Amino acid sequence: MKFTDAVKLLCEESPSFIPTQSVEREKLPFKLPERYCNCRRIRAYLNHRGISDEVITYCISHEILYESVPYHNAVFVGKDESRKVRYAFLRGIYEKNGKGFKMEQTGSEKKYSFCIPPERETKRVAVYEACIDALAHMTLEEGNRDKYRLSLGGIAAPKENAQIQSERFKKPPDALEEFLKNHPEIKEIEICTDNDFAGRWAKERMKKHYEGRYKIICNLPEREGADYADLAKERKQTNQCRDRPIESR
């Protein structure tokens, strides 16, 4: 058909757009990965990352850390106020090209993120970007059980020098909001995010949002670009070098 004939034909009709109907996928229910009979592999992995046996055992005893099958991932568990499991973060213990497997279990609710409980009553919660940062900082503080240690399950931050347009960058972390709602006894928030642009930006947002209602303690890693998991691993490597016997000639 010639172009002019096609235009004439279309002008005589009333074409309409019929959008395709999107099919909503059925949400899978939350279910914890199957447990392995022991935690030997994840203990060795976390030890290698500088996490102390004391901290690992404390988390295992509170049933918030275990080893899964068949891939032997470290599973960090989050519970609600009734101690019901609502969240799980999986971290692979094997790395390929310097990267390891990480994911939240399907159906996880981030507002019930991984949290290490204190040994006694406390008025302070320390917040971290990742589960392993909480374990690492607890190790660096000689296993102190004097406060809650809450993983935020990651943070939302814009790229450096970018204009902030998305509302998701402005809202406080879901995990911290839910925690504070359920713990009215908390008076102090210790911010332990990474010492990079995203971590410092998140720190300032949390400080601005909660200042006045809570005492804010900013406790980022001292070294630029580091997180507490980095510092724990570096301390372990330093101790190994120091304790290595000097070979006699």
Side-chain angles (χ1 to χ4, degrees):
M1 183 179 291
K2 293 181 180 180
F3 176 75
T4 52
D5 293 336
V7 172
K8 289 178 181 179
L9 178 63
L10 290 173
C11 286
E12 293 174 358
E13 297 180 1
S14 299
S16 60
F17 171 69
I18 303 175
T20 57
Q21 293 183 346
S22 59
V23 179
E24 290 188 5
R25 293 184 180 180
E26 183 181 353
K27 291 184 179 181
L28 296 175
F30 174 76
K31 183 181 179 182
L32 279 175
E34 185 179 348
R35 293 174 183 265
Y36 187 55
C37 59
N38 60 54
C39 296
R40 181 174 58 83
R41 288 178 178 84
I42 67 164
R43 185 181 289 274
Y45 167 75
L46 293 172
N47 283 159
H48 175 71
R49 295 292 304 269
I51 311 300
S52 71
D53 267 326
E54 179 187 3
V55 170
I56 297 168
T57 299
Y58 186 75
C59 292
I60 291 173
S61 68
H62 281 80
E63 298 183 337
I64 55 174
L65 174 65
Y66 70 92
E67 183 174 324
S68 69
V69 289
Y71 302 111
H72 303 283
N73 294 315
V75 182
F76 297 88
V77 178
K79 302 179 180 181
D80 63 17
E81 287 308 297
S82 64
R83 307 304 297 163
K84 180 181 178 181
V85 176
R86 306 282 288 272
Y87 174 92
F89 181 80
L90 282 60
R91 188 183 186 102
I93 63 174
Y94 305 109
E95 294 186 356
K96 184 177 181 181
N97 300 324
K99 294 183 179 180
F101 169 77
K102 301 176 187 177
M103 69 164 282
E104 289 180 337
Q105 181 72 351
T106 301
S108 288
E109 297 177 72
K110 194 182 287 287
K111 66 180 181 178
Y112 299 111
S113 190
F114 173 80
C115 183
I116 305 174
E119 199 168 41
R120 293 177 293 275
E121 290 185 7
T122 181
K123 295 181 179 180
R124 180 179 294 195
V125 57
V127 295
Y128 308 86
E129 293 185 31
C131 305
I132 199 166
D133 292 331
L135 272 67
H137 194 214
M138 187 172 177
T139 296
L140 292 168
E141 293 190 330
E142 309 304 329
N144 281 348
R145 309 167 187 181
D146 57 347
K147 56 193 168 190
Y148 288 98
R149 298 177 188 268
L150 174 69
S151 166
L152 301 176
I155 56 171
K159 292 182 179 180
E160 195 167 0
N161 300 322
Q163 289 186 342
I164 303 170
Q165 295 178 340
S166 176
E167 288 297 319
R168 73 188 182 94
F169 294 138
K170 301 176 183 179
K171 60 181 292 193
D174 290 343
L176 183 53
E177 284 285 275
E178 183 67 21
F179 178 89
L180 294 174
K181 184 179 75 174
N182 293 313
H183 291 272
E185 77 279 10
I186 295 297
K187 306 298 180 186
E188 302 173 351
I189 300 175
E190 182 180 351
I191 304 174
C192 304
T193 49
D194 302 352
N195 192 358
D196 55 14
F197 171 78
R200 292 189 295 269
W201 191 91
K203 175 207 59 170
E204 289 301 322
R205 292 301 304 178
M206 284 187 278
K207 182 179 178 182
K208 183 178 180 181
H209 183 81
Y210 293 109
E211 211 165 30
R213 291 179 289 156
Y214 298 91
K215 179 181 178 181
I216 306 297
I217 302 98
C218 297
N219 188 15
L220 276 60
E222 292 182 0
R223 183 163 58 79
E224 167 76 24
D227 58 34
Y228 279 110
D230 295 329
L231 299 188
K233 189 173 183 179
E234 288 170 7
R235 189 176 79 166
K236 180 178 177 62
Q237 292 171 343
T238 300
N239 290 341
Q240 285 178 335
C241 292
R242 184 194 61 195
D243 296 338
R244 188 178 299 159
I246 300 174
E247 295 181 6
S248 58
R249 294 186 179 181

